Structure formats: structure tokens, C-alpha cells
Amino acid sequence: MKAITIEEFGHPDVLKLSDVPDPLVRPADLLVRVYAAGVNRADLTHRTGGYGRPDFGDSPIIGLEIAGEVIEKGNAVVGFEVGDRVMGVVGGGAYAELARIDYRMAMPIPAQLDYVHAAAIPEVFVTAHEALMHLARLKPGDSVLIHAAAGGVGSAAVQLAYATGATVYATTDGSKLSRVEHLGADVAIDYKNSDFAEVIASKTDGRGVDVIIDFVGEPYFARNLASLANGGRLIQVGILGGGGKVALELEHILYRHLQIIGTVMKSRTQPEKHEMIKRFREHWLERFEGGGSLEPVVDSTFPLSRAADAHHRMESSENVGKIILTMQPADLL
């Protein structure tokens, strides 16, 4: 099969289209003919050596989410059959014509969705649900600040928060404000020209928000804490602005009853990942059906052979929503 391989870590041009052996199907696996695969920030970390080895996860092939058709299944698989359209999260191996996926990490593709839009769902919406609903315990009437709201997870989080009935504040580039508002943000903040902490203080009369979902890290940390209401929860999903060291006054955590929670799907155990998929599927999957309130946001598509261009697009931070790789002719998508 054709797949993207990495012989050395580095710039996007290290991504090469190669012939590699088909994946071996284990008892709990589905073998999927991949028609579309999502590009994620974790893929950039993989490509540049941030995980320390090329085979971090279940495959030396890059990529974490797929959409395609089941062509074979292991003898322990329950609930899926050959010919089913599925989407889901893999432990590596998505940038390929064939991929294996633990059936407990797979979900049926809603009938009206094509493969491209299905591939824009699993990683980002599952991560957004885990951060907002499971960890932050967001509920109707709460207020939430979502950073990097035009990105993959950010755009999913805005939609889930809006669908939950929360008041949604969101930071993004000024050119993307209207797109973020369309997704459900009540207040979209141009992070380059406004201090989000000042905007939150003004809009909430100094109270702050109940939840913050942050992908940036150290540069935002102090202002994030200042923007939380008493009892507020900061969910740290990424560190795009750098990890670094942060300083905090423990009295603020103690007396304001604040919580700081970190989450990364890739480093979780397989049983934990199964539960994450299950929670999302039970809570939201039907909302992608015809007339539902959720929509996967696709920024652009690239053929598998142009994976390097897809990575350049993500590194530019110009995208709104997901960047998708396609493996088959357009009439199949």
C-alpha cells in the first residue's frame, strides 16, 4: 500500500510517499480502506521528533484519525461488519491507504456525511468533549473561554459549548472572528489587538468565566487564572505557545477554589481512550445526523502525496477547522 513515511525528523519535506506492507489485523482490529485522514497538531510533533522516536504509538506511520470502509475484521470485533463506513482514532497509521483500528475506537459515519467531513470529527470532537464535558463539567448557564477557537479542537469546542447552552467567549485571529461567531461564539476576541483578560473582566463585570479551554500554555497562564471565576476550571489541552515554567500564587488556587487539569489523548492508556470514544459517541454522535446541530468544519483538503503541503498549511495557522488528506478519487469522497 501507499503511505507517508518519515526517514528523518524535520521540516514538512521529510514526509515521503512510499510503498509499505499492509498492516496486520489483530483480533480486536478493523482493517479500513482509508478515504480521508485528519491532520492534527500531534502529527507536527511526530514529524519533528517531539515524541523522541518514529514509532510513538501503534505504528511508525504518522496520523491519528481516519474515515473509510471496513474491508476485514478480527475475530474479537463486535458491532462492525465488512462494508461498514467508519471513522475513528488510531494509534498511528492514518496517512496510508489502509489502516487498522481497534474497533472500540471506531464509530459509524452518520449517513449524510462524506468521508472528508467524517475524518474531521474524531480527534477534535472527542478531545473537545473530554475537555469541556467530562473534565470541566460544563453545564447549561455556565460561561467558557475557548482559546484558538478557529483551529480543529477549538472550533469543535465552540460548537459543543454552544450546544450545551453555555455563554461562549472565544479568542482567534481578527480575520476569523465572523467564522467563530458563526460556530456559536457569543463574544469573539481578536487576541492580537485585545487583551482577552480585560475583555472577560469587562463582559462579566469582573466575575470571570467558569471554564477555560487553553491550547497555548505559558504565555496565557497568568491571564487565564485571572479570568476564572471562583470555582473555575482551567483545562490545559495544549502548549502551542511553549511549555516553560509558570508561576502562581497558591493562595489564589486555594481560596478561589480553582482547578487546573491537563489532558492529552495520545498518552492515555487504551482503556481510557475507549471510554473517551464511548462518552463522545453516546452524547453527541446523533447530533451529526441530518438536521443535527453539529457540523465538522473542513478548512482544506490535500491528496496523500501532498502531505507536506498540508503540514505547511497547518503551520501557517491560517486554517479554520480541519485539514484533511484524501487517498482516493474525488468521486469516492
Side-chain angles (χ1 to χ4, degrees):
M1 68 175 183
K2 296 291 187 182
I4 295 297
T5 58
I6 303 173
E7 295 183 1
E8 59 181 345
F9 297 129
H11 296 291
D13 292 344
V14 304
L15 302 175
K16 303 297 183 183
L17 187 65
S18 306
D19 289 302
V20 301
D22 294 353
L24 298 175
V25 179
R26 301 162 299 194
D29 285 338
L30 303 171
L31 183 63
V32 176
R33 184 172 303 283
V34 180
Y35 294 131
V39 178
N40 292 281
R41 286 280 173 183
D43 301 344
L44 308 188
T45 303
H46 184 158
R47 191 201 76 225
T48 55
Y51 297 125
R53 60 186 194 275
D55 61 344
F56 183 86
D58 193 40
S59 171
I61 297 171
I62 192 171
L64 297 176
E65 63 185 333
I66 61 171
E69 179 184 354
V70 178
I71 60 173
E72 186 180 339
K73 67 173 189 173
N75 58 22
V77 169
V78 176
F80 293 96
E81 300 295 339
V82 171
D84 286 350
R85 298 194 324 140
V86 298
M87 59 187 183
V89 178
V90 295
Y95 289 23
E97 293 179 319
L98 300 175
R100 65 186 183 188
I101 182 172
D102 183 323
Y103 78 94
R104 292 156 294 192
M105 298 296 291
M107 296 174 281
I109 295 176
Q112 85 284 0
L113 289 184
D114 59 28
Y115 288 114
V116 166
H117 286 82
I121 292 175
E123 180 78 14
V124 294
F125 275 94
V126 170
T127 298
H129 171 82
E130 191 71 7
L132 278 172
M133 312 305 298
H134 185 65
L135 297 176
R137 308 179 305 282
L138 188 74
K139 62 184 185 299
D142 279 352
S143 55
V144 57
L145 169 61
I146 299 167
H147 290 301
V153 180
S155 62
V158 169
Q159 291 189 67
L160 297 188
Y162 175 78
T164 300
T167 299
V168 183
Y169 301 90
T171 64
T172 189
D173 182 89
S175 65
K176 304 173 183 177
L177 293 175
S178 62
R179 293 290 302 277
V180 170
E181 290 170 343
H182 172 74
L183 294 173
D186 295 281
V187 178
I189 304 167
D190 179 355
Y191 73 93
K192 292 182 178 179
N193 293 306
S194 300
D195 184 327
F196 70 82
E198 293 179 357
V199 175
I200 294 299
S202 174
K203 295 291 185 180
T204 64
D205 295 326
R207 175 186 179 275
V209 295
D210 300 295
V211 173
I212 296 177
I213 306 297
D214 182 45
F215 309 88
V216 178
E218 186 273 334
Y220 280 11
F221 187 77
R223 286 181 289 161
N224 280 338
L225 292 191
S227 299
L228 283 173
N230 287 351
R233 288 85 70 194
L234 168 61
I235 312 300
Q236 198 69 49
V237 185
I239 47 174
L240 297 177
K245 296 182 179 180
V246 298
L248 58 86
E249 295 184 35
L250 289 177
E251 288 84 356
H252 287 313
I253 306 298
L254 183 66
Y255 295 116
R256 293 174 55 204
H257 312 127
L258 303 182
Q259 298 177 51
I260 304 170
I261 305 171
T263 180
V264 175
M265 185 190 296
K266 193 172 180 67
S267 61
R268 290 184 181 271
T269 66
Q270 201 64 14
E272 289 174 326
K273 292 179 183 179
H274 297 165
E275 289 301 311
M276 291 174 69
I277 296 292
K278 181 181 178 182
R279 284 191 286 266
F280 168 77
R281 179 174 176 173
E282 291 177 348
H283 198 109
W284 295 112
L285 190 58
E286 66 180 19
R287 303 284 283 272
F288 290 92
E289 299 288 355
S293 59
L294 299 178
E295 59 173 308
V297 181
V298 174
D299 171 80
S300 51
T301 64
F302 295 84
L304 182 63
S305 60
R306 292 179 55 201
D309 291 335
H311 277 222
H312 279 300
R313 173 70 178 172
M314 176 162 280
E315 289 179 337
S316 75
S317 296
E318 294 178 355
N319 60 296
V320 176
K322 293 288 292 186
I323 300 166
I324 305 295
L325 296 175
T326 60
M327 286 65 169
Q328 298 294 326
D331 59 351
L332 294 177
L333 301 173

